[in-house]
Amino acid sequence: MPDLKVCVVVPTYNERENVGALVERIRGTGSGEADIMFVDDSSPDGTAEAVREMMREDPRLHLLVRGSKKGIGGAYIDGFREALRTLGPDVLVQIDADLQHPPAVIPLLVGSLSSGAGAAIASRYVRGGGSKGWSMSRRLVSRVANSYARTLLRLPVKDCTSGFRAMTRQSATRLVDSRLPARGFEFQVASVYVLKTGVKILEVPFIFEPRRIGSSKLGLPDVLRFMAAVLRLAIRPPRTPPA
Ligand code: GDD
Ligand code: MN
């Protein structure tokens, strides 16, 4: 779908060493024309500076800086709002900065929306999907978190915590308008909860790669916050604006 305007939104916290390779891979694997919006929470390692450096050469790179580390969920909401307001994309893509999400899958996610779906999720838990180089414990935590959220919130997808997705402008607008109380990693499941009424959600298999540079920001406190947040969402469901 060459005439679709795509904006890739990338939350970053201490990803200075990854942003260059990410942009290269996005440009080199079928999304050459896409806008890329970084949402950086004033990373102490100077990620924003590295992005600004690249912006001098590439007018389709954009940067939204927030004052302090405020969570991946809020970064997506703020990035979507800014992208919708300033760039007018047809499709918004969510991807991590650390190359654990292979950019070559972006065209498949975007392309699958042509079937009329409102969102496409890159999934580890459908046939052909998986994750490389994970310890048993990380595997278990991911499986448990997934089943827990899927069951409690009745989510119609296998990989509801995946942070690699594409969605239509309409779906992204609904997420921004729904004022989701989901600032952290629970954003991934809360957004599926909002979108499941009204639109079709597809899953496309992908392999979650090991992180090569930098470290994960998802620690035990985040997992516990995630569990509590899902419980709160189940007890007090967020408002779901009409599709
Ligand atoms: N702006 C901003 N603010 N970005 C953040 C923050 C934050 O507070 N926390 C994390 N990020 C960015 C990271 O810099 C990275 O680009 C992306 O969000 C994902 O963070 P990671 O720390 O790499 O997460 P992960 O690899 O442990 O978890 C991934 O897999 C999970 C499923 O297993 C993410 O994709 C999760 O969303 C997903 O649920
Ligand atoms: Mn990661």
Side-chain angles (χ1 to χ4, degrees):
M1 290 184 295
D3 41 5
L4 273 186
K5 199 166 153 46
V6 176
C7 180
V8 180
V9 179
V10 191
T12 56
Y13 193 76
N14 286 347
E15 304 288 1
R16 185 188 179 94
E17 305 294 327
N18 284 316
V19 289
L22 179 74
V23 170
E24 243 173 64
R25 293 260 306 267
I26 292 175
R27 296 278 179 244
T29 50
S31 308
E33 298 298 308
D35 282 298
I36 305 175
M37 162 92 60
F38 288 92
V39 185
D40 185 65
D41 283 0
S42 299
S43 300
D45 77 344
T47 303
E49 256 325 299
V51 172
R52 281 195 198 97
E53 191 70 35
M54 295 190 285
M55 285 166 75
R56 292 199 205 129
E57 314 270 303
D58 185 343
R60 287 158 309 170
L61 296 184
H62 314 272
L63 172 65
L64 179 66
V65 175
R66 309 197 304 167
S68 60
K69 187 172 187 306
K70 293 195 263 193
I72 187 176
Y76 271 124
I77 293 285
D78 291 350
F80 284 174
R81 188 187 299 107
E82 181 74 4
L84 289 163
R85 194 175 65 79
T86 60
L87 302 168
D90 301 303
V91 173
L92 291 100
V93 171
Q94 291 179 217
I95 192 170
D96 291 352
D98 55 7
L99 296 170
Q100 293 196 269
H101 296 156
V105 177
I106 295 175
L108 304 178
L109 288 172
V110 174
S112 72
L113 296 177
S114 67
S115 67
I121 299 182
S123 175
R124 293 159 291 182
Y125 303 133
V126 295
R127 186 193 293 268
S131 37
K132 256 196 234 161
W134 270 20
S135 64
M136 277 299 281
S137 63
R138 175 81 209 241
R139 227 173 262 279
L140 189 70
V141 168
S142 174
R143 281 285 183 181
V144 169
N146 246 289
S147 315
Y148 172 79
R150 202 148 47 92
T151 313
L152 235 69
L153 300 174
R154 298 171 204 275
L155 303 179
V157 293
K158 295 258 188 273
D159 193 349
C160 60
T161 59
S162 170
F164 189 17
R165 303 171 171 187
M167 69 185 77
T168 60
R169 173 183 54 228
Q170 291 82 356
S171 293
T173 304
R174 280 177 81 202
L175 293 184
V176 171
D177 290 347
S178 65
R179 299 181 187 288
L180 279 180
R183 300 281 125 193
F185 285 88
E186 71 274 15
F187 168 76
Q188 313 297 7
V189 298
S191 55
V192 175
Y193 183 90
V194 168
L195 294 179
K196 74 170 182 170
T197 21
V199 304
K200 198 165 79 179
I201 304 174
L202 296 176
E203 287 183 272
V204 172
F206 92 111
I207 307 285
F208 191 81
E209 300 279 338
R211 187 192 255 271
R212 300 195 197 280
I213 303 176
S215 53
S216 169
K217 281 86 210 173
L218 206 173
L220 181 63
D222 300 283
V223 175
L224 297 178
R225 261 199 296 275
F226 170 89
M227 296 295 191
V230 170
L231 199 58
R232 269 198 304 276
L233 286 168
I235 294 167
R236 189 172 305 168
R239 209 164 56 84
T240 55

mmCIF file of all heavy atoms in Angstrom, residues 2-26:
data_model
loop_
_atom_site.group_PDB
_atom_site.id
_atom_site.type_symbol
_atom_site.label_atom_id
_atom_site.label_comp_id
_atom_site.label_asym_id
_atom_site.label_seq_id
_atom_site.Cartn_x
_atom_site.Cartn_y
_atom_site.Cartn_z
ATOM 1 N N PRO A 2 1.406 1.593 -1.152
ATOM 2 C CA PRO A 2 2.431 2.632 -1.205
ATOM 3 C C PRO A 2 1.916 4.022 -0.844
ATOM 4 O O PRO A 2 2.690 4.856 -0.405
ATOM 5 C CB PRO A 2 2.899 2.594 -2.672
ATOM 6 C CG PRO A 2 1.806 1.913 -3.421
ATOM 7 C CD PRO A 2 1.071 1.044 -2.469
ATOM 8 N N ASP A 3 0.605 4.281 -0.992
ATOM 9 C CA ASP A 3 0.153 5.648 -0.736
ATOM 10 C C ASP A 3 -0.365 5.870 0.685
ATOM 11 O O ASP A 3 -0.894 6.922 0.989
ATOM 12 C CB ASP A 3 -0.884 6.096 -1.778
ATOM 13 C CG ASP A 3 -1.872 4.991 -2.092
ATOM 14 O OD1 ASP A 3 -1.793 3.931 -1.415
ATOM 15 O OD2 ASP A 3 -2.701 5.165 -2.986
ATOM 16 N N LEU A 4 -0.190 4.894 1.560
ATOM 17 C CA LEU A 4 -0.566 5.104 2.962
ATOM 18 C C LEU A 4 0.525 5.886 3.675
ATOM 19 O O LEU A 4 1.710 5.579 3.554
ATOM 20 C CB LEU A 4 -0.740 3.762 3.669
ATOM 21 C CG LEU A 4 -2.091 3.082 3.596
ATOM 22 C CD1 LEU A 4 -2.081 1.853 4.496
ATOM 23 C CD2 LEU A 4 -3.214 4.029 3.996
ATOM 24 N N LYS A 5 0.118 6.875 4.483
ATOM 25 C CA LYS A 5 1.097 7.652 5.236
ATOM 26 C C LYS A 5 1.277 6.980 6.607
ATOM 27 O O LYS A 5 0.334 6.891 7.385
ATOM 28 C CB LYS A 5 0.569 9.085 5.390
ATOM 29 C CG LYS A 5 1.628 10.099 5.730
ATOM 30 C CD LYS A 5 1.051 11.500 5.507
ATOM 31 C CE LYS A 5 1.688 12.577 6.354
ATOM 32 N NZ LYS A 5 3.125 12.611 6.443
ATOM 33 N N VAL A 6 2.490 6.487 6.844
ATOM 34 C CA VAL A 6 2.766 5.723 8.066
ATOM 35 C C VAL A 6 3.636 6.541 9.013
ATOM 36 O O VAL A 6 4.595 7.177 8.585
ATOM 37 C CB VAL A 6 3.496 4.397 7.719
ATOM 38 C CG1 VAL A 6 3.891 3.636 8.981
ATOM 39 C CG2 VAL A 6 2.620 3.528 6.821
ATOM 40 N N CYS A 7 3.283 6.540 10.299
ATOM 41 C CA CYS A 7 4.167 7.130 11.309
ATOM 42 C C CYS A 7 4.528 6.075 12.344
ATOM 43 O O CYS A 7 3.657 5.481 12.982
ATOM 44 C CB CYS A 7 3.515 8.335 11.989
ATOM 45 S SG CYS A 7 4.618 9.059 13.230
ATOM 46 N N VAL A 8 5.818 5.836 12.496
ATOM 47 C CA VAL A 8 6.329 4.868 13.477
ATOM 48 C C VAL A 8 6.648 5.643 14.756
ATOM 49 O O VAL A 8 7.425 6.598 14.720
ATOM 50 C CB VAL A 8 7.613 4.186 12.942
ATOM 51 C CG1 VAL A 8 8.152 3.186 13.957
ATOM 52 C CG2 VAL A 8 7.345 3.522 11.596
ATOM 53 N N VAL A 9 6.036 5.249 15.874
ATOM 54 C CA VAL A 9 6.274 5.947 17.144
ATOM 55 C C VAL A 9 7.193 5.072 18.013
ATOM 56 O O VAL A 9 6.935 3.880 18.201
ATOM 57 C CB VAL A 9 4.946 6.246 17.869
ATOM 58 C CG1 VAL A 9 5.207 6.950 19.198
ATOM 59 C CG2 VAL A 9 4.040 7.102 16.979
ATOM 60 N N VAL A 10 8.278 5.667 18.521
ATOM 61 C CA VAL A 10 9.303 4.911 19.256
ATOM 62 C C VAL A 10 9.556 5.545 20.627
ATOM 63 O O VAL A 10 10.148 6.613 20.718
ATOM 64 C CB VAL A 10 10.650 4.917 18.481
ATOM 65 C CG1 VAL A 10 11.621 3.913 19.112
ATOM 66 C CG2 VAL A 10 10.470 4.659 17.001
ATOM 67 N N PRO A 11 9.117 4.887 21.719
ATOM 68 C CA PRO A 11 9.439 5.418 23.052
ATOM 69 C C PRO A 11 10.890 5.096 23.378
ATOM 70 O O PRO A 11 11.363 3.999 23.082
ATOM 71 C CB PRO A 11 8.494 4.636 23.973
ATOM 72 C CG PRO A 11 8.220 3.359 23.261
ATOM 73 C CD PRO A 11 8.358 3.626 21.787
ATOM 74 N N THR A 12 11.599 6.038 23.962
ATOM 75 C CA THR A 12 13.008 5.764 24.298
ATOM 76 C C THR A 12 13.360 6.226 25.703
ATOM 77 O O THR A 12 12.948 7.294 26.146
ATOM 78 C CB THR A 12 13.989 6.468 23.324
ATOM 79 O OG1 THR A 12 13.718 7.871 23.304
ATOM 80 C CG2 THR A 12 13.918 5.911 21.930
ATOM 81 N N TYR A 13 14.118 5.395 26.383
ATOM 82 C CA TYR A 13 14.776 5.787 27.630
ATOM 83 C C TYR A 13 16.144 5.120 27.651
ATOM 84 O O TYR A 13 16.237 3.901 27.711
ATOM 85 C CB TYR A 13 13.940 5.409 28.860
ATOM 86 C CG TYR A 13 14.478 6.101 30.087
ATOM 87 C CD1 TYR A 13 14.233 7.459 30.295
ATOM 88 C CD2 TYR A 13 15.268 5.420 30.997
ATOM 89 C CE1 TYR A 13 14.768 8.123 31.386
ATOM 90 C CE2 TYR A 13 15.801 6.078 32.096
ATOM 91 C CZ TYR A 13 15.545 7.427 32.280
ATOM 92 O OH TYR A 13 16.084 8.084 33.358
ATOM 93 N N ASN A 14 17.186 5.918 27.532
ATOM 94 C CA ASN A 14 18.562 5.411 27.444
ATOM 95 C C ASN A 14 18.756 4.423 26.297
ATOM 96 O O ASN A 14 19.139 3.272 26.510
ATOM 97 C CB ASN A 14 18.989 4.780 28.777
ATOM 98 C CG ASN A 14 19.258 5.827 29.842
ATOM 99 O OD1 ASN A 14 19.366 7.026 29.533
ATOM 100 N ND2 ASN A 14 19.382 5.410 31.080
ATOM 101 N N GLU A 15 18.498 4.885 25.096
ATOM 102 C CA GLU A 15 18.655 4.045 23.902
ATOM 103 C C GLU A 15 19.581 4.708 22.891
ATOM 104 O O GLU A 15 19.497 4.446 21.687
ATOM 105 C CB GLU A 15 17.280 3.768 23.254
ATOM 106 C CG GLU A 15 16.239 3.147 24.160
ATOM 107 C CD GLU A 15 16.500 1.679 24.494
ATOM 108 O OE1 GLU A 15 17.516 1.122 24.039
ATOM 109 O OE2 GLU A 15 15.667 1.104 25.234
ATOM 110 N N ARG A 16 20.486 5.562 23.357
ATOM 111 C CA ARG A 16 21.375 6.296 22.460
ATOM 112 C C ARG A 16 22.083 5.401 21.447
ATOM 113 O O ARG A 16 22.201 5.730 20.275
ATOM 114 C CB ARG A 16 22.415 7.062 23.297
ATOM 115 C CG ARG A 16 23.304 7.931 22.469
ATOM 116 C CD ARG A 16 24.464 8.538 23.239
ATOM 117 N NE ARG A 16 25.227 9.326 22.300
ATOM 118 C CZ ARG A 16 25.043 10.630 22.107
ATOM 119 N NH1 ARG A 16 24.180 11.286 22.825
ATOM 120 N NH2 ARG A 16 25.732 11.277 21.194
ATOM 121 N N GLU A 17 22.532 4.255 21.925
ATOM 122 C CA GLU A 17 23.312 3.354 21.060
ATOM 123 C C GLU A 17 22.435 2.581 20.073
ATOM 124 O O GLU A 17 22.952 1.880 19.209
ATOM 125 C CB GLU A 17 24.088 2.334 21.914
ATOM 126 C CG GLU A 17 24.996 2.928 22.974
ATOM 127 C CD GLU A 17 26.158 3.707 22.348
ATOM 128 O OE1 GLU A 17 26.624 3.299 21.264
ATOM 129 O OE2 GLU A 17 26.568 4.721 22.952
ATOM 130 N N ASN A 18 21.124 2.660 20.224
ATOM 131 C CA ASN A 18 20.241 1.861 19.371
ATOM 132 C C ASN A 18 19.522 2.663 18.291
ATOM 133 O O ASN A 18 19.129 2.098 17.259
ATOM 134 C CB ASN A 18 19.174 1.154 20.229
ATOM 135 C CG ASN A 18 19.735 -0.045 20.982
ATOM 136 O OD1 ASN A 18 20.484 -0.842 20.420
ATOM 137 N ND2 ASN A 18 19.399 -0.160 22.258
ATOM 138 N N VAL A 19 19.316 3.976 18.516
ATOM 139 C CA VAL A 19 18.416 4.720 17.615
ATOM 140 C C VAL A 19 18.928 4.804 16.173
ATOM 141 O O VAL A 19 18.132 4.758 15.232
ATOM 142 C CB VAL A 19 18.068 6.128 18.168
ATOM 143 C CG1 VAL A 19 17.140 6.000 19.370
ATOM 144 C CG2 VAL A 19 19.316 6.932 18.527
ATOM 145 N N GLY A 20 20.250 4.878 16.001
ATOM 146 C CA GLY A 20 20.800 4.974 14.643
ATOM 147 C C GLY A 20 20.510 3.720 13.835
ATOM 148 O O GLY A 20 20.010 3.784 12.711
ATOM 149 N N ALA A 21 20.815 2.566 14.439
ATOM 150 C CA ALA A 21 20.588 1.285 13.762
ATOM 151 C C ALA A 21 19.102 1.068 13.507
ATOM 152 O O ALA A 21 18.709 0.527 12.466
ATOM 153 C CB ALA A 21 21.144 0.141 14.600
ATOM 154 N N LEU A 22 18.257 1.530 14.452
ATOM 155 C CA LEU A 22 16.815 1.353 14.270
ATOM 156 C C LEU A 22 16.339 2.111 13.033
ATOM 157 O O LEU A 22 15.631 1.546 12.185
ATOM 158 C CB LEU A 22 16.042 1.840 15.510
ATOM 159 C CG LEU A 22 14.527 1.708 15.353
ATOM 160 C CD1 LEU A 22 14.084 0.247 15.458
ATOM 161 C CD2 LEU A 22 13.780 2.556 16.370
ATOM 162 N N VAL A 23 16.739 3.376 12.923
ATOM 163 C CA VAL A 23 16.314 4.179 11.765
ATOM 164 C C VAL A 23 16.809 3.530 10.473
ATOM 165 O O VAL A 23 16.049 3.378 9.508
ATOM 166 C CB VAL A 23 16.825 5.639 11.880
ATOM 167 C CG1 VAL A 23 16.590 6.396 10.574
ATOM 168 C CG2 VAL A 23 16.146 6.351 13.035
ATOM 169 N N GLU A 24 18.054 3.085 10.466
ATOM 170 C CA GLU A 24 18.609 2.434 9.276
ATOM 171 C C GLU A 24 17.795 1.206 8.877
ATOM 172 O O GLU A 24 17.484 1.004 7.718
ATOM 173 C CB GLU A 24 20.037 1.981 9.573
ATOM 174 C CG GLU A 24 21.087 2.653 8.713
ATOM 175 C CD GLU A 24 22.468 2.276 9.187
ATOM 176 O OE1 GLU A 24 22.814 1.073 9.115
ATOM 177 O OE2 GLU A 24 23.185 3.185 9.666
ATOM 178 N N ARG A 25 17.472 0.388 9.880
ATOM 179 C CA ARG A 25 16.719 -0.845 9.593
ATOM 180 C C ARG A 25 15.309 -0.542 9.116
ATOM 181 O O ARG A 25 14.784 -1.215 8.244
ATOM 182 C CB ARG A 25 16.666 -1.744 10.839
ATOM 183 C CG ARG A 25 18.012 -2.324 11.268
ATOM 184 C CD ARG A 25 18.201 -3.775 10.801
ATOM 185 N NE ARG A 25 17.134 -4.670 11.201
ATOM 186 C CZ ARG A 25 17.120 -5.406 12.304
ATOM 187 N NH1 ARG A 25 18.121 -5.331 13.159
ATOM 188 N NH2 ARG A 25 16.113 -6.220 12.553
ATOM 189 N N ILE A 26 14.675 0.493 9.686
ATOM 190 C CA ILE A 26 13.324 0.853 9.239
ATOM 191 C C ILE A 26 13.382 1.326 7.788
ATOM 192 O O ILE A 26 12.598 0.892 6.939
ATOM 193 C CB ILE A 26 12.697 1.939 10.151
ATOM 194 C CG1 ILE A 26 12.422 1.364 11.542
ATOM 195 C CG2 ILE A 26 11.413 2.488 9.531
ATOM 196 C CD1 ILE A 26 11.919 2.383 12.558
#
